[in-house]
Each structure stands twice: as C-alpha cells, then as structure tokens.
Short mmCIF file of all heavy atoms in Angstrom, two decimals:
data_model
loop_
_atom_site.label_atom_id
_atom_site.label_comp_id
_atom_site.label_asym_id
_atom_site.label_seq_id
_atom_site.Cartn_x
_atom_site.Cartn_y
_atom_site.Cartn_z
N MET A 19 100.69 -8.17 7.62
CA MET A 19 99.48 -8.22 6.83
C MET A 19 99.14 -6.82 6.33
O MET A 19 99.10 -5.87 7.08
CB MET A 19 98.34 -8.74 7.71
CG MET A 19 97.05 -8.87 6.98
SD MET A 19 95.84 -9.63 8.11
CE MET A 19 94.39 -8.94 7.42
N THR A 20 98.93 -6.70 5.05
CA THR A 20 98.60 -5.39 4.49
C THR A 20 97.10 -5.19 4.46
O THR A 20 96.34 -6.13 4.26
CB THR A 20 99.15 -5.27 3.05
OG1 THR A 20 98.56 -6.28 2.26
CG2 THR A 20 100.66 -5.42 3.03
N GLN A 21 96.70 -3.95 4.70
CA GLN A 21 95.29 -3.63 4.68
C GLN A 21 94.93 -3.02 3.33
O GLN A 21 95.70 -2.25 2.77
CB GLN A 21 94.94 -2.63 5.78
CG GLN A 21 95.06 -3.22 7.16
CD GLN A 21 94.69 -2.20 8.22
OE1 GLN A 21 94.77 -1.02 7.99
NE2 GLN A 21 94.29 -2.69 9.37
N LYS A 22 93.78 -3.39 2.84
CA LYS A 22 93.32 -2.87 1.57
C LYS A 22 92.78 -1.46 1.78
O LYS A 22 92.00 -1.21 2.68
CB LYS A 22 92.23 -3.76 0.99
CG LYS A 22 91.82 -3.38 -0.39
CD LYS A 22 90.85 -4.40 -0.96
CE LYS A 22 90.51 -4.03 -2.38
NZ LYS A 22 89.60 -4.98 -2.98
N LYS A 23 93.19 -0.51 0.93
CA LYS A 23 92.73 0.86 1.03
C LYS A 23 91.64 1.10 0.00
O LYS A 23 91.70 0.62 -1.12
CB LYS A 23 93.88 1.84 0.79
CG LYS A 23 94.90 1.86 1.88
CD LYS A 23 95.93 2.94 1.65
CE LYS A 23 96.94 2.94 2.78
NZ LYS A 23 97.91 4.01 2.61
N TYR A 24 90.62 1.85 0.41
CA TYR A 24 89.53 2.20 -0.49
C TYR A 24 89.64 3.67 -0.84
O TYR A 24 89.92 4.50 0.02
CB TYR A 24 88.17 1.92 0.17
CG TYR A 24 87.86 0.46 0.27
CD1 TYR A 24 88.19 -0.26 1.39
CD2 TYR A 24 87.24 -0.20 -0.78
CE1 TYR A 24 87.91 -1.61 1.48
CE2 TYR A 24 86.95 -1.55 -0.70
CZ TYR A 24 87.29 -2.25 0.44
OH TYR A 24 87.01 -3.58 0.51
N ASN A 25 89.40 3.98 -2.09
CA ASN A 25 89.44 5.35 -2.55
C ASN A 25 88.07 5.98 -2.28
O ASN A 25 87.07 5.63 -2.91
CB ASN A 25 89.77 5.37 -4.05
CG ASN A 25 90.04 6.75 -4.55
OD1 ASN A 25 89.94 7.72 -3.81
ND2 ASN A 25 90.39 6.84 -5.81
N LEU A 26 88.02 6.91 -1.32
CA LEU A 26 86.75 7.48 -0.88
C LEU A 26 86.01 8.23 -1.99
O LEU A 26 84.81 8.01 -2.17
CB LEU A 26 86.97 8.38 0.33
CG LEU A 26 85.72 8.97 0.96
CD1 LEU A 26 84.80 7.86 1.44
CD2 LEU A 26 86.08 9.89 2.10
N PRO A 27 86.67 9.10 -2.78
CA PRO A 27 85.91 9.78 -3.84
C PRO A 27 85.30 8.81 -4.86
O PRO A 27 84.16 9.01 -5.29
CB PRO A 27 86.95 10.69 -4.51
CG PRO A 27 87.98 10.92 -3.46
CD PRO A 27 88.03 9.65 -2.66
N MET A 28 86.02 7.77 -5.21
CA MET A 28 85.48 6.80 -6.16
C MET A 28 84.29 6.05 -5.55
O MET A 28 83.29 5.80 -6.22
CB MET A 28 86.56 5.80 -6.58
CG MET A 28 86.09 4.82 -7.64
SD MET A 28 87.36 3.70 -8.19
CE MET A 28 87.65 2.74 -6.73
N MET A 29 84.37 5.74 -4.26
CA MET A 29 83.28 5.03 -3.60
C MET A 29 82.03 5.92 -3.54
O MET A 29 80.93 5.45 -3.77
CB MET A 29 83.71 4.62 -2.18
CG MET A 29 82.76 3.67 -1.52
SD MET A 29 83.44 2.86 -0.08
CE MET A 29 83.54 4.20 1.08
N VAL A 30 82.21 7.21 -3.28
CA VAL A 30 81.07 8.14 -3.22
C VAL A 30 80.42 8.28 -4.59
O VAL A 30 79.19 8.26 -4.71
CB VAL A 30 81.53 9.51 -2.67
CG1 VAL A 30 80.46 10.57 -2.86
CG2 VAL A 30 81.92 9.40 -1.22
N VAL A 31 81.22 8.40 -5.64
CA VAL A 31 80.68 8.52 -7.00
C VAL A 31 79.92 7.26 -7.40
O VAL A 31 78.81 7.34 -7.95
CB VAL A 31 81.81 8.83 -8.01
CG1 VAL A 31 81.33 8.68 -9.44
CG2 VAL A 31 82.35 10.24 -7.77
N LEU A 32 80.48 6.10 -7.11
CA LEU A 32 79.80 4.86 -7.45
C LEU A 32 78.49 4.68 -6.68
O LEU A 32 77.49 4.24 -7.25
CB LEU A 32 80.73 3.67 -7.22
CG LEU A 32 81.90 3.55 -8.19
CD1 LEU A 32 82.81 2.39 -7.79
CD2 LEU A 32 81.42 3.39 -9.61
N LEU A 33 78.49 5.06 -5.41
CA LEU A 33 77.25 4.97 -4.62
C LEU A 33 76.20 5.95 -5.15
O LEU A 33 75.02 5.63 -5.20
CB LEU A 33 77.53 5.23 -3.14
CG LEU A 33 78.22 4.10 -2.40
CD1 LEU A 33 78.61 4.54 -0.99
CD2 LEU A 33 77.37 2.86 -2.35
N ALA A 34 76.62 7.15 -5.55
CA ALA A 34 75.68 8.13 -6.09
C ALA A 34 75.10 7.65 -7.43
O ALA A 34 73.90 7.82 -7.68
CB ALA A 34 76.37 9.48 -6.27
N LEU A 35 75.93 7.04 -8.27
CA LEU A 35 75.43 6.50 -9.53
C LEU A 35 74.46 5.35 -9.30
O LEU A 35 73.43 5.25 -9.98
CB LEU A 35 76.59 6.04 -10.41
CG LEU A 35 77.44 7.14 -11.03
CD1 LEU A 35 78.64 6.53 -11.74
CD2 LEU A 35 76.62 7.98 -11.98
N LEU A 36 74.77 4.50 -8.36
CA LEU A 36 73.88 3.39 -8.03
C LEU A 36 72.55 3.90 -7.49
O LEU A 36 71.48 3.41 -7.88
CB LEU A 36 74.55 2.46 -7.02
CG LEU A 36 73.74 1.24 -6.58
CD1 LEU A 36 73.48 0.33 -7.78
CD2 LEU A 36 74.47 0.49 -5.50
N GLU A 37 72.59 4.90 -6.62
CA GLU A 37 71.35 5.46 -6.08
C GLU A 37 70.53 6.13 -7.18
O GLU A 37 69.31 6.01 -7.21
CB GLU A 37 71.67 6.47 -4.98
CG GLU A 37 70.45 7.00 -4.30
CD GLU A 37 70.78 7.91 -3.14
OE1 GLU A 37 71.96 8.25 -2.93
OE2 GLU A 37 69.84 8.28 -2.43
N GLY A 38 71.19 6.83 -8.09
CA GLY A 38 70.48 7.44 -9.21
C GLY A 38 69.81 6.41 -10.09
O GLY A 38 68.69 6.61 -10.56
N LEU A 39 70.48 5.29 -10.32
CA LEU A 39 69.90 4.22 -11.13
C LEU A 39 68.67 3.63 -10.44
O LEU A 39 67.64 3.38 -11.08
CB LEU A 39 70.94 3.12 -11.37
CG LEU A 39 70.47 1.90 -12.14
CD1 LEU A 39 70.09 2.29 -13.57
CD2 LEU A 39 71.53 0.83 -12.15
N VAL A 40 68.75 3.43 -9.12
CA VAL A 40 67.61 2.90 -8.38
C VAL A 40 66.43 3.87 -8.43
O VAL A 40 65.28 3.46 -8.63
CB VAL A 40 68.02 2.58 -6.92
CG1 VAL A 40 66.81 2.28 -6.06
CG2 VAL A 40 68.99 1.42 -6.89
N ILE A 41 66.69 5.16 -8.27
CA ILE A 41 65.62 6.15 -8.32
C ILE A 41 65.00 6.21 -9.72
O ILE A 41 63.78 6.31 -9.87
CB ILE A 41 66.13 7.52 -7.87
CG1 ILE A 41 66.43 7.49 -6.38
CG2 ILE A 41 65.13 8.63 -8.18
CD1 ILE A 41 67.12 8.72 -5.85
N TYR A 42 65.84 6.13 -10.76
CA TYR A 42 65.33 6.14 -12.13
C TYR A 42 64.43 4.92 -12.39
O TYR A 42 63.34 5.05 -12.95
CB TYR A 42 66.48 6.17 -13.13
CG TYR A 42 66.02 6.06 -14.56
CD1 TYR A 42 65.41 7.14 -15.19
CD2 TYR A 42 66.17 4.87 -15.27
CE1 TYR A 42 64.97 7.05 -16.49
CE2 TYR A 42 65.74 4.77 -16.56
CZ TYR A 42 65.14 5.86 -17.18
OH TYR A 42 64.69 5.76 -18.46
N LEU A 43 64.90 3.74 -11.97
CA LEU A 43 64.09 2.54 -12.15
C LEU A 43 62.79 2.63 -11.35
O LEU A 43 61.75 2.17 -11.81
CB LEU A 43 64.88 1.30 -11.72
CG LEU A 43 66.03 0.91 -12.65
CD1 LEU A 43 66.82 -0.25 -12.04
CD2 LEU A 43 65.53 0.56 -14.03
N ASN A 44 62.84 3.24 -10.18
CA ASN A 44 61.64 3.44 -9.38
C ASN A 44 60.64 4.33 -10.13
O ASN A 44 59.45 4.07 -10.12
CB ASN A 44 62.02 4.05 -8.04
CG ASN A 44 60.82 4.46 -7.23
OD1 ASN A 44 59.87 3.70 -7.11
ND2 ASN A 44 60.85 5.65 -6.68
N MET A 45 61.14 5.40 -10.77
CA MET A 45 60.24 6.30 -11.49
C MET A 45 59.62 5.62 -12.70
O MET A 45 58.49 5.92 -13.08
CB MET A 45 60.98 7.57 -11.90
CG MET A 45 61.26 8.48 -10.73
SD MET A 45 61.79 10.13 -11.18
CE MET A 45 63.37 9.81 -11.93
N VAL A 46 60.36 4.72 -13.32
CA VAL A 46 59.83 4.01 -14.49
C VAL A 46 58.79 2.97 -14.06
O VAL A 46 57.73 2.86 -14.68
CB VAL A 46 60.99 3.34 -15.27
CG1 VAL A 46 60.45 2.41 -16.34
CG2 VAL A 46 61.88 4.40 -15.89
N VAL A 47 59.07 2.25 -12.99
CA VAL A 47 58.20 1.16 -12.58
C VAL A 47 56.96 1.67 -11.82
O VAL A 47 55.86 1.17 -12.02
CB VAL A 47 58.99 0.15 -11.71
CG1 VAL A 47 58.08 -0.92 -11.17
CG2 VAL A 47 60.11 -0.48 -12.53
N HIS A 48 57.14 2.67 -10.95
CA HIS A 48 56.05 3.18 -10.12
C HIS A 48 55.89 4.70 -10.31
O HIS A 48 56.19 5.47 -9.40
CB HIS A 48 56.30 2.89 -8.64
CG HIS A 48 56.45 1.46 -8.31
ND1 HIS A 48 55.39 0.59 -8.31
CD2 HIS A 48 57.54 0.72 -7.98
CE1 HIS A 48 55.81 -0.61 -7.99
NE2 HIS A 48 57.12 -0.57 -7.79
N PRO A 49 55.40 5.16 -11.44
CA PRO A 49 55.31 6.61 -11.66
C PRO A 49 54.28 7.30 -10.78
O PRO A 49 54.37 8.50 -10.53
CB PRO A 49 54.94 6.73 -13.14
CG PRO A 49 54.32 5.43 -13.49
CD PRO A 49 54.95 4.41 -12.61
N ASP A 50 53.29 6.58 -10.26
CA ASP A 50 52.25 7.19 -9.44
C ASP A 50 52.67 7.38 -7.99
O ASP A 50 52.00 8.11 -7.26
CB ASP A 50 50.97 6.35 -9.49
CG ASP A 50 50.41 6.26 -10.90
OD1 ASP A 50 50.65 7.19 -11.68
OD2 ASP A 50 49.73 5.26 -11.21
N SER A 51 53.74 6.74 -7.57
CA SER A 51 54.15 6.79 -6.16
C SER A 51 55.21 7.85 -5.88
O SER A 51 55.88 7.78 -4.86
CB SER A 51 54.70 5.42 -5.75
OG SER A 51 53.72 4.43 -5.90
N GLN A 52 55.37 8.81 -6.77
CA GLN A 52 56.40 9.83 -6.60
C GLN A 52 55.83 11.02 -5.86
O GLN A 52 54.65 11.30 -6.01
CB GLN A 52 56.94 10.27 -7.96
CG GLN A 52 57.48 9.15 -8.80
CD GLN A 52 58.54 8.34 -8.10
OE1 GLN A 52 59.38 8.90 -7.41
NE2 GLN A 52 58.51 7.05 -8.24
N PRO A 53 56.56 11.80 -5.10
CA PRO A 53 57.95 11.65 -4.68
C PRO A 53 58.13 10.88 -3.38
O PRO A 53 59.26 10.73 -2.91
CB PRO A 53 58.41 13.09 -4.50
CG PRO A 53 57.21 13.79 -4.00
CD PRO A 53 56.05 13.12 -4.71
N GLY A 54 57.05 10.40 -2.78
CA GLY A 54 57.15 9.72 -1.49
C GLY A 54 58.06 8.51 -1.51
O GLY A 54 58.88 8.31 -0.60
N LEU A 55 57.95 7.69 -2.53
CA LEU A 55 58.78 6.48 -2.62
C LEU A 55 60.25 6.84 -2.86
O LEU A 55 61.14 6.17 -2.35
CB LEU A 55 58.26 5.58 -3.74
CG LEU A 55 58.68 4.12 -3.72
CD1 LEU A 55 58.38 3.49 -2.37
CD2 LEU A 55 57.95 3.35 -4.80
N THR A 56 60.50 7.93 -3.58
CA THR A 56 61.87 8.37 -3.81
C THR A 56 62.52 8.79 -2.49
O THR A 56 63.69 8.49 -2.25
CB THR A 56 61.89 9.54 -4.81
OG1 THR A 56 61.29 9.12 -6.02
CG2 THR A 56 63.31 9.99 -5.09
N ILE A 57 61.78 9.48 -1.65
CA ILE A 57 62.32 9.90 -0.35
C ILE A 57 62.67 8.69 0.49
O ILE A 57 63.73 8.65 1.14
CB ILE A 57 61.31 10.82 0.37
CG1 ILE A 57 61.16 12.13 -0.40
CG2 ILE A 57 61.72 11.08 1.80
CD1 ILE A 57 60.02 12.99 0.06
N VAL A 58 61.82 7.68 0.48
CA VAL A 58 62.09 6.45 1.24
C VAL A 58 63.34 5.76 0.71
O VAL A 58 64.19 5.30 1.49
CB VAL A 58 60.87 5.51 1.19
CG1 VAL A 58 61.20 4.15 1.77
CG2 VAL A 58 59.68 6.12 1.90
N ILE A 59 63.50 5.71 -0.60
CA ILE A 59 64.68 5.08 -1.20
C ILE A 59 65.95 5.82 -0.80
O ILE A 59 66.96 5.21 -0.44
CB ILE A 59 64.54 5.00 -2.73
CG1 ILE A 59 63.49 3.97 -3.11
CG2 ILE A 59 65.87 4.67 -3.39
CD1 ILE A 59 63.16 3.95 -4.58
N VAL A 60 65.92 7.15 -0.85
CA VAL A 60 67.10 7.94 -0.48
C VAL A 60 67.47 7.72 0.98
O VAL A 60 68.65 7.54 1.32
CB VAL A 60 66.85 9.43 -0.79
CG1 VAL A 60 67.94 10.30 -0.18
CG2 VAL A 60 66.76 9.66 -2.28
N ILE A 61 66.48 7.72 1.86
CA ILE A 61 66.76 7.52 3.29
C ILE A 61 67.31 6.12 3.55
O ILE A 61 68.31 5.95 4.26
CB ILE A 61 65.50 7.79 4.13
CG1 ILE A 61 65.17 9.28 4.09
CG2 ILE A 61 65.67 7.32 5.56
CD1 ILE A 61 63.84 9.63 4.70
N LEU A 62 66.70 5.10 2.96
CA LEU A 62 67.19 3.73 3.15
C LEU A 62 68.59 3.54 2.57
O LEU A 62 69.43 2.85 3.16
CB LEU A 62 66.22 2.73 2.54
CG LEU A 62 64.89 2.56 3.26
CD1 LEU A 62 63.99 1.59 2.48
CD2 LEU A 62 65.11 2.07 4.67
N PHE A 63 68.86 4.16 1.42
CA PHE A 63 70.18 4.04 0.81
C PHE A 63 71.24 4.73 1.66
O PHE A 63 72.35 4.23 1.80
CB PHE A 63 70.16 4.63 -0.60
CG PHE A 63 71.24 4.10 -1.48
CD1 PHE A 63 71.07 2.92 -2.17
CD2 PHE A 63 72.43 4.78 -1.62
CE1 PHE A 63 72.06 2.42 -2.98
CE2 PHE A 63 73.43 4.28 -2.43
CZ PHE A 63 73.25 3.09 -3.11
N ALA A 64 70.90 5.88 2.25
CA ALA A 64 71.84 6.58 3.12
C ALA A 64 72.15 5.75 4.36
O ALA A 64 73.31 5.66 4.79
CB ALA A 64 71.29 7.94 3.51
N ILE A 65 71.13 5.14 4.95
CA ILE A 65 71.35 4.29 6.12
C ILE A 65 72.21 3.08 5.76
O ILE A 65 73.15 2.74 6.48
CB ILE A 65 70.00 3.86 6.73
CG1 ILE A 65 69.29 5.07 7.35
CG2 ILE A 65 70.18 2.76 7.76
CD1 ILE A 65 67.85 4.79 7.75
N ALA A 66 71.89 2.43 4.65
CA ALA A 66 72.67 1.26 4.23
C ALA A 66 74.12 1.63 3.92
O ALA A 66 75.04 0.89 4.28
CB ALA A 66 72.01 0.61 3.01
N SER A 67 74.34 2.76 3.27
CA SER A 67 75.71 3.20 2.96
C SER A 67 76.48 3.50 4.24
O SER A 67 77.66 3.14 4.37
CB SER A 67 75.68 4.43 2.06
OG SER A 67 75.07 4.14 0.84
N GLY A 68 75.84 4.19 5.18
CA GLY A 68 76.50 4.51 6.44
C GLY A 68 76.87 3.27 7.22
O GLY A 68 77.97 3.16 7.77
N LEU A 69 75.95 2.30 7.28
CA LEU A 69 76.25 1.05 7.98
C LEU A 69 77.35 0.27 7.28
O LEU A 69 78.19 -0.37 7.92
CB LEU A 69 74.99 0.20 8.11
CG LEU A 69 73.96 0.70 9.11
CD1 LEU A 69 72.70 -0.17 9.03
CD2 LEU A 69 74.51 0.72 10.51
N GLY A 70 77.37 0.32 5.95
CA GLY A 70 78.43 -0.37 5.20
C GLY A 70 79.80 0.22 5.46
O GLY A 70 80.78 -0.51 5.66
N VAL A 71 79.89 1.54 5.48
CA VAL A 71 81.17 2.19 5.76
C VAL A 71 81.58 1.93 7.21
O VAL A 71 82.76 1.67 7.49
CB VAL A 71 81.08 3.71 5.47
CG1 VAL A 71 82.29 4.44 5.99
CG2 VAL A 71 80.92 3.95 3.98
N TRP A 72 80.63 1.99 8.14
CA TRP A 72 80.94 1.70 9.54
C TRP A 72 81.47 0.27 9.68
O TRP A 72 82.46 0.04 10.37
CB TRP A 72 79.68 1.87 10.40
CG TRP A 72 79.89 1.42 11.80
CD1 TRP A 72 80.48 2.11 12.81
CD2 TRP A 72 79.54 0.14 12.34
NE1 TRP A 72 80.50 1.35 13.95
CE2 TRP A 72 79.94 0.13 13.70
CE3 TRP A 72 78.93 -0.99 11.82
CZ2 TRP A 72 79.74 -0.97 14.51
CZ3 TRP A 72 78.73 -2.07 12.64
CH2 TRP A 72 79.13 -2.07 13.97
N TYR A 73 80.83 -0.67 9.01
CA TYR A 73 81.25 -2.07 9.09
C TYR A 73 82.66 -2.25 8.53
O TYR A 73 83.49 -2.94 9.13
CB TYR A 73 80.27 -2.96 8.35
CG TYR A 73 80.65 -4.42 8.34
CD1 TYR A 73 80.49 -5.20 9.47
CD2 TYR A 73 81.20 -5.00 7.20
CE1 TYR A 73 80.86 -6.54 9.48
CE2 TYR A 73 81.57 -6.33 7.19
CZ TYR A 73 81.40 -7.10 8.34
OH TYR A 73 81.77 -8.41 8.33
N ARG A 74 82.91 -1.63 7.39
CA ARG A 74 84.24 -1.79 6.78
C ARG A 74 85.34 -1.18 7.63
O ARG A 74 86.44 -1.72 7.71
CB ARG A 74 84.27 -1.14 5.40
CG ARG A 74 83.59 -1.94 4.35
CD ARG A 74 83.74 -1.27 3.02
NE ARG A 74 83.12 -2.07 1.97
CZ ARG A 74 83.07 -1.71 0.72
NH1 ARG A 74 83.59 -0.57 0.33
NH2 ARG A 74 82.50 -2.50 -0.16
N THR A 75 85.08 -0.01 8.23
CA THR A 75 86.14 0.67 8.96
C THR A 75 86.28 0.17 10.39
O THR A 75 87.39 -0.03 10.87
CB THR A 75 85.90 2.19 8.98
OG1 THR A 75 84.61 2.45 9.53
CG2 THR A 75 85.98 2.76 7.59
N ARG A 76 85.18 -0.02 11.10
CA ARG A 76 85.26 -0.37 12.52
C ARG A 76 85.38 -1.87 12.75
O ARG A 76 86.19 -2.32 13.54
CB ARG A 76 84.02 0.14 13.26
CG ARG A 76 83.85 1.62 13.18
CD ARG A 76 84.86 2.33 14.07
NE ARG A 76 84.55 3.74 14.11
CZ ARG A 76 85.41 4.68 13.79
NH1 ARG A 76 86.63 4.37 13.42
NH2 ARG A 76 85.08 5.95 13.86
N VAL A 77 84.57 -2.66 12.06
CA VAL A 77 84.55 -4.09 12.32
C VAL A 77 85.69 -4.81 11.59
O VAL A 77 86.40 -5.60 12.18
CB VAL A 77 83.17 -4.68 11.91
CG1 VAL A 77 83.15 -6.17 12.09
CG2 VAL A 77 82.06 -4.03 12.72
N ARG A 78 85.85 -4.50 10.31
CA ARG A 78 86.89 -5.21 9.55
C ARG A 78 88.22 -4.49 9.55
O ARG A 78 89.21 -5.02 9.09
CB ARG A 78 86.40 -5.40 8.11
CG ARG A 78 85.14 -6.28 8.12
CD ARG A 78 84.78 -6.84 6.83
NE ARG A 78 85.81 -7.71 6.30
CZ ARG A 78 85.83 -8.13 5.05
NH1 ARG A 78 84.86 -7.77 4.23
NH2 ARG A 78 86.78 -8.90 4.61
N GLY A 79 88.25 -3.24 10.03
CA GLY A 79 89.51 -2.51 10.16
C GLY A 79 90.12 -2.05 8.87
O GLY A 79 91.33 -1.85 8.78
N MET A 80 89.32 -1.82 7.85
CA MET A 80 89.85 -1.36 6.56
C MET A 80 90.03 0.15 6.55
O MET A 80 89.36 0.87 7.28
CB MET A 80 88.92 -1.78 5.43
CG MET A 80 88.87 -3.26 5.25
SD MET A 80 87.86 -3.72 3.85
CE MET A 80 87.99 -5.49 3.94
N ILE A 81 90.96 0.59 5.77
CA ILE A 81 91.30 2.01 5.69
C ILE A 81 90.66 2.62 4.47
O ILE A 81 90.76 2.10 3.37
CB ILE A 81 92.83 2.19 5.62
CG1 ILE A 81 93.48 1.64 6.90
CG2 ILE A 81 93.19 3.64 5.43
CD1 ILE A 81 94.98 1.58 6.83
N ILE A 82 89.98 3.75 4.68
CA ILE A 82 89.42 4.51 3.56
C ILE A 82 90.25 5.77 3.39
O ILE A 82 90.37 6.57 4.30
CB ILE A 82 87.94 4.87 3.81
CG1 ILE A 82 87.11 3.60 3.92
CG2 ILE A 82 87.40 5.77 2.72
CD1 ILE A 82 85.66 3.83 4.22
N SER A 83 90.87 5.90 2.23
CA SER A 83 91.74 7.06 2.01
C SER A 83 91.17 7.97 0.95
O SER A 83 90.32 7.62 0.19
CB SER A 83 93.12 6.61 1.59
OG SER A 83 93.05 5.88 0.38
#
C-alpha cells in the first residue's frame, strides 16, 4: 500500500492564503471589532492547523515531505 505524500511548502502557502482571506472577510464584515477578533481568528486557525497536521501524520500515518 502506498502512502500519499503532502508537499509541506504548498500546504503552508495554501493555509496562509486561506487565513488571510478569513481575516480580510472579517475586516469587511466586522470593522468595529478589530484587532481583537483578528487575534482570536489567528489563534483558532493555528490550533486547527496544528490539530489537522497531527491527525494526518499520527492518526492516519500520512507522510509530509
């Protein structure tokens, strides 16, 4: 059985672009809640990304190269 490899630099760039899009949409929708809401979004996104990478590597056994 072959394991699917993930390209780490591409995954980091895509996650950074997605986080930037979420922050931009947050600034457009809730301009009065800045910068507190942006900090919460960044922290939650970092936690979700870390758990996602942990799940892919430890639980499912996928290789990130």
